[in-house]
Amino acid sequence: MDKKIATYIFYGLWGVVAACLVWLFISAHIYALLTTFLCVAATLAWWGAVLGVTPRMRAIAMGTISGFWTVIAVLMFFPFSPPDAPEYIVGEVHRFSEMNHGFARAMAGVLGPKIANHGLVYEDAQYNYAEIYGMKRQLWQNSSPGARALFGATVVTDMLRAPNQIANEPQKVLPYPLTTFEGAYRDHKIGWNPGDELLADVAKKVGYKKARYTPEENALMVKALGKFFGSIDVGICRVDPRWFFTHDLINAGTPLHLEEVKNLKYGIQVFSEQNWTRINNDPGESWWSITKSGTAYSNSAWIAVRLAQMLRDMGYEARVGHGGQDYETVETPFSVYNGFGEFGRMSDAVVPAAGGARFKSATILTNFPMQVDAERRSYGVTRFCGYCDRCARACPVNAIPMGGRTVENGIEMWHVDKDRCARFRVGNLNGNCCNECVKVCPYNKPPTLFHLLGNYVVEHSPIAGRIFGSVGGLGLEDWLDYDNGLSEDFGVNEPARWILEDPGYKNTFPRLVGQYIFTEADRSPDEEWATGVGAEMGKVGVKYQGVVFGEIPKQYFDANGRPRNVHKDYPEGEQKIANVENLGRVLTQEEAEHLLKTGQAFTGGWYKKDEDVYPPRSPKYEKGRLSYAEASKLWVEEE
Amino acid sequence: MFGLQIKKGGISAHLGWGELYLITVTSGMLLFGLWAWYDGHALGTPQAGWRFLLLFVVLVTPALSVLFFWKPRTS
Ligand code: SF4
Ligand code: SF4
């Protein structure tokens, strides 16, 4: 070839490389990166094969490429210090009312009558109900035999939650037939076993000897037993009293006074995971969502009740909070402050050692003296979530925020719109519950050596976020698309549909539900959206991560083009939720105030003014800014 | 100079330290890609496995160009 033409082609190739670099810097897209590398390779090949190079040029080229990859390898794999463990508490933190979590608000009618009667879109009325606050309601949890079995079994497990009833719960505690337990405060504490021997793996760490019941030994034994009972790992931390709910859900608003629980100084958290393959293959439009969540909940509950029973049998207080039924505390801060996880964009704790976002946990609250886990460190999760928004993009109802962290209740983290999330999960008309944010989280992968290395890289590397994440990054994780696993059969999602309230619906407050009064301050910001205004029924026509959201079939719309509340498996189900009554009784302002001031009813909510909360807030823990370390220390020292 | 001298039968090659280093880096990256490919298949996510492998194949193409096409004609 003519040398001149070859040189022009060579310059042209460099021009293409330059254009690719501009594309790369503007878009930071993985395709731009791949194309750039291919163009560089073609240019180098042309250079070497057509134009010719000298040995010195070859040596420089080899040194440059090797050096480039060496620097990248160092930036990726060198154990740089991870970021500091994030300090989420930045202001005054108020206790949370269990009546105010998303599912509670849906169940108690705060989000509207249709969603409070959510199970009525399904037809098997004679099987598919539960009694809530004296009313028979159909529940979405009960709508498949698998889910019924799992949640039902957990309810039975619940009877073993505690031997004594605090705030009237748990109800109907059954005597434990094999125990020597004689009461919550038995004088004589018995040991782990008649010989008082430490378990082999604990003895290996502290020496083969009889137990002396030091806090260190106790913690090691509890961890060993928890894992033996089936937990992935066991976290132990001091309790921060602000984690106790102010009001109980199962008993419709019974207040939980801190004095009643002040013996409960430590939290033992056990973890079970939702199956990776099941998660990966669940498009959120089947019954699997609720069933796999129920499996993990009941597994962790079963581990926790056995461990708690053991501690009670030794004469200590031990109370279990578990999902599918009831917690006495907010669960996620345990996973963060016992050092196992961090708050992620989806508001939940992401725990790399327990399947990322796939885990479900249960917690034992106890006075059994234990050495708490080492000071928490960062896994880089919160930092990584700043580069990743996969869960936010995947959410069918846009409940997960894009952008930076915000402050709610004195806590700086990402806060999901829990009313939207709860309405969709409870009222999903294409299936049951939801799976989307959990499914796409990169932390979900099973702990193979390869992905453990991945977690290490994300924790330590200063550039990993920009490579894997798509917010200001290359979006490698999006391209790899791990959640597009074996799910080809499930690959086409129906666009999200959920139970809507009647057009123009507005809730009425104050509303008495059980012993709890929901007030104007509890009104959902999404009321209009819940009636279908601005609700685009999810991502119709959108292609996301290999999932195409198609059109909603015509039979699901009424004559006015408004989506009907018809579950796809029960096309005749809608008429049953027409004109249903909302839960609870509407009060006048005066009636509400009278009930609250005379102690006949209660109300809470972290967002309310101090004077609007019954019973009143704790001046010691709910005033001013207290870090976790300060609050939990005060709590442990509380007589 | 440090390097690797291979003489076997009619084949004779000398690899300088620069070549050895680049070959090590390149094969390391390809092995990493293969590991990712295997892991992806083991997890039931074959697409991710293939894409990870493809990523590493693409990333090493400039190195392969230099190793295979940069044969000096002059000194
Ligand atoms: S993806 Fe589903 S579960 Fe997650 S926040 Fe959105 S609605 Fe809730
Ligand atoms: S999907 Fe991404 S942004 Fe969301 S929690 Fe997981 S890592 Fe964080």
Side-chain angles (χ1 to χ4, degrees):
Chain A
M1 182 186 288
D2 186 324
K3 186 85 192 268
K4 221 172 172 183
I5 297 176
T7 311
Y8 284 143
I9 293 177
F10 179 61
Y11 289 147
L13 285 168
W14 275 124
V16 175
V17 169
C20 285
L21 284 172
V22 172
W23 176 27
L24 180 61
F25 280 107
I26 290 174
S27 71
H29 195 279
I30 185 73
Y31 285 147
L33 180 86
L34 297 181
T35 314
T36 305
F37 269 83
L38 288 174
C39 291
V40 168
T43 310
L44 291 176
W46 187 263
W47 191 347
V50 180
L51 298 181
V53 293
T54 63
R56 188 175 151 71
M57 286 164 72
R58 180 175 156 91
I60 290 173
M62 288 193 303
T64 307
I65 294 175
S66 310
F68 174 80
W69 286 120
T70 307
V71 170
I72 296 289
V74 169
L75 286 173
M76 290 297 277
F77 297 112
F78 186 80
F80 293 105
S81 313
D84 291 338
E87 183 47 82
Y88 302 103
I89 299 173
V90 295
E92 191 166 291
V93 177
H94 299 146
R95 286 166 67 198
F96 196 86
S97 171
E98 200 179 14
M99 297 296 283
N100 267 130
H101 72 50
F103 285 135
R105 285 163 67 83
M107 262 160 50
V110 184
L111 305 188
K114 299 253 166 147
I115 202 72
N117 289 277
H118 39 261
L120 290 174
V121 290
Y122 313 129
E123 272 200 319
D124 53 346
Q126 67 270 45
Y127 304 115
N128 190 16
Y129 68 85
E131 195 162 309
I132 304 180
Y133 312 151
M135 288 177 74
K136 273 190 178 175
R137 316 234 119 193
Q138 286 185 297
L139 284 177
W140 88 103
Q141 299 105 307
N142 300 359
S143 49
S144 85
R148 271 201 289 277
L150 293 161
F151 283 96
T154 308
V155 173
V156 175
T157 311
D158 197 56
M159 295 169 184
L160 293 171
R161 280 178 64 222
N164 50 345
Q165 297 189 9
I166 305 280
N168 298 329
E169 57 164 341
Q171 295 147 321
K172 299 183 236 138
V173 175
L174 291 177
Y176 182 49
L178 302 178
T179 189
T180 51
F181 172 77
E182 284 162 8
Y185 302 98
R186 188 172 54 191
D187 296 336
H188 178 65
K189 298 188 191 318
I190 59 168
W192 297 112
N193 47 53
D196 247 355
E197 285 154 11
L198 293 171
L199 286 175
D201 53 346
V202 177
K204 246 186 250 169
K205 285 185 193 134
V206 293
Y208 283 87
K209 57 188 178 189
K210 284 195 168 194
R212 287 174 299 130
Y213 295 92
T214 62
E216 186 199 4
E217 280 178 15
N218 291 348
L220 288 170
M221 283 292 275
V222 161
K223 278 174 180 275
L225 284 163
K227 286 192 224 172
F228 176 63
F229 289 165
S231 181
I232 300 169
D233 210 330
V234 179
I236 299 174
C237 66
R238 285 176 176 173
V239 171
D240 181 328
R242 293 169 294 187
W243 300 345
F244 284 102
F245 287 125
T246 50
H247 305 79
D248 178 62
L249 168 64
I250 293 294
N251 290 289
T254 308
L256 195 146
H257 300 283
L258 286 182
E259 307 84 69
E260 292 169 345
V261 289
K262 68 179 194 301
N263 286 340
L264 306 175
K265 309 290 192 194
Y266 303 99
I268 304 165
Q269 193 173 39
V270 298
F271 303 93
S272 61
E273 63 178 344
Q274 299 178 77
N275 179 277
W276 150 262
T277 310
R278 192 63 270 148
I279 289 257
N280 237 10
N281 292 306
D282 179 4
E285 56 175 83
S286 68
W287 302 114
W288 281 111
S289 293
I290 191 67
T291 308
K292 68 181 162 35
S293 143
T295 314
Y297 270 132
S298 51
N299 286 349
S300 59
W302 184 224
I303 297 164
V305 290
R306 286 178 293 171
L307 195 51
Q309 187 65 41
M310 180 155 185
L311 294 177
R312 288 199 290 270
D313 223 19
M314 291 166 64
Y316 295 90
E317 274 190 78
R319 279 201 256 149
V320 179
H322 62 69
Q325 179 67 6
D326 209 3
Y327 288 101
E328 279 169 321
T329 47
V330 186
E331 186 69 3
T332 47
F334 284 94
S335 316
V336 170
Y337 289 99
N338 62 20
F340 274 65
E342 283 174 44
F343 288 121
R345 185 178 289 278
M346 60 175 89
S347 299
D348 264 334
V350 173
V351 177
R358 284 186 293 131
F359 76 94
K360 298 286 183 190
S361 59
T363 294
I364 301 157
L365 303 167
T366 182
N367 59 352
F368 186 53
M370 287 168 296
Q371 181 175 299
V372 295
D373 288 339
E375 189 138 331
R376 76 192 179 94
R377 63 185 180 84
S378 175
Y379 299 94
V381 173
T382 301
R383 175 175 70 178
F384 183 74
C385 290
Y387 293 107
C388 176
D389 61 358
R390 286 170 64 78
C391 50
R393 278 183 285 137
C395 177
V397 290
N398 301 327
I400 303 177
M402 302 276 186
R405 294 189 277 162
T406 51
V407 180
E408 262 183 26
N409 194 21
I411 299 168
E412 187 181 24
M413 56 185 269
W414 289 280
H415 297 273
V416 297
D417 183 334
K418 60 184 183 296
D419 284 354
R420 281 192 179 204
C421 170
R423 175 170 285 274
F424 179 65
R425 286 208 269 173
V426 171
N428 179 359
L429 291 164
N430 289 342
N432 196 307
C433 219
C434 183
N435 181 56
E436 299 305 291
C437 52
V438 173
K439 179 177 169 180
V440 298
C441 183
Y443 281 99
N444 280 346
K445 291 152 208 148
T448 60
L449 194 57
F450 187 75
H451 292 292
L452 290 177
L453 181 65
N455 284 353
Y456 164 89
V457 165
V458 171
E459 179 180 331
H460 293 277
S461 164
I463 61 168
R466 290 201 179 274
I467 291 174
F468 289 100
S470 56
V471 181
L474 293 167
L476 179 58
E477 191 67 43
D478 278 357
W479 185 62
L480 294 173
D481 197 11
Y482 270 91
D483 47 294
N484 185 20
L486 297 172
S487 57
E488 278 160 29
D489 291 344
F490 302 92
V492 179
N493 261 9
E494 288 193 43
R497 302 189 306 118
W498 57 93
I499 295 175
L500 295 179
E501 298 302 331
D502 287 337
Y505 161 78
K506 268 193 137 358
N507 210 338
T508 321
F509 297 104
R511 176 177 291 278
L512 178 72
V513 179
Q515 313 163 67
Y516 196 82
I517 297 178
F518 289 100
T519 67
E520 189 57 40
D522 297 311
R523 183 181 294 285
S524 170
D526 299 320
E527 272 189 346
E528 210 184 14
W529 171 86
T531 67
V533 176
E536 287 142 11
M537 308 312 288
K539 301 171 171 13
V540 179
V542 168
K543 187 168 190 290
Y544 173 75
Q545 300 300 318
V547 175
V548 183
F549 295 89
E551 291 295 320
I552 301 173
K554 289 206 171 38
Q555 79 238 39
Y556 296 127
F557 291 94
D558 65 17
N560 302 317
R562 190 170 178 278
R564 295 163 63 211
N565 291 318
V566 180
H567 192 280
K568 67 172 180 183
D569 290 352
Y570 300 97
E572 300 309 315
E574 185 182 35
Q575 69 276 17
K576 293 184 180 168
I577 57 168
N579 306 319
V580 285
E581 271 184 35
N582 202 354
L583 212 83
R585 181 161 66 88
V586 177
L587 306 172
T588 63
Q589 202 61 39
E590 294 69 42
E591 277 177 310
E593 269 170 35
H594 173 73
L595 289 174
L596 291 171
K597 285 181 177 155
T598 53
Q600 297 175 70
F602 312 95
T603 194
W606 58 266
Y607 39 80
K608 287 182 186 158
K609 292 195 204 117
D610 285 353
E611 58 269 29
D612 294 335
V613 172
Y614 294 83
R617 291 190 169 122
S618 154
K620 188 170 174 184
Y621 295 105
E622 296 180 271
K623 280 279 136 228
R625 178 181 176 273
L626 273 183
S627 68
Y628 161 73
E630 289 164 336
S632 62
K633 182 162 181 286
L634 281 174
W635 184 247
V636 164
E637 288 163 0
E638 188 109 27
E639 291 289 317
Chain B
M1 207 216 289
F2 172 77
L4 185 65
Q5 194 77 38
I6 302 171
K7 263 195 192 145
K8 197 168 185 200
I11 301 171
S12 158
H14 174 81
L15 294 176
W17 68 268
E19 271 156 336
L20 275 177
Y21 191 34
L22 187 58
I23 288 169
T24 310
V25 167
T26 307
S27 29
M29 288 171 73
L30 287 173
L31 281 175
F32 203 83
L34 275 177
W35 185 19
W37 177 88
Y38 169 77
D39 187 87
H41 281 76
L43 293 188
T45 52
Q47 176 191 285
W50 280 112
R51 287 191 177 180
F52 232 132
L53 178 60
L54 178 63
L55 171 76
F56 280 96
V57 168
V58 170
L59 293 183
V60 298
T61 48
L64 295 178
S65 286
V66 168
L67 284 171
F68 289 113
F69 295 109
W70 282 41
K71 306 282 185 207
R73 292 177 197 157
T74 54
S75 57

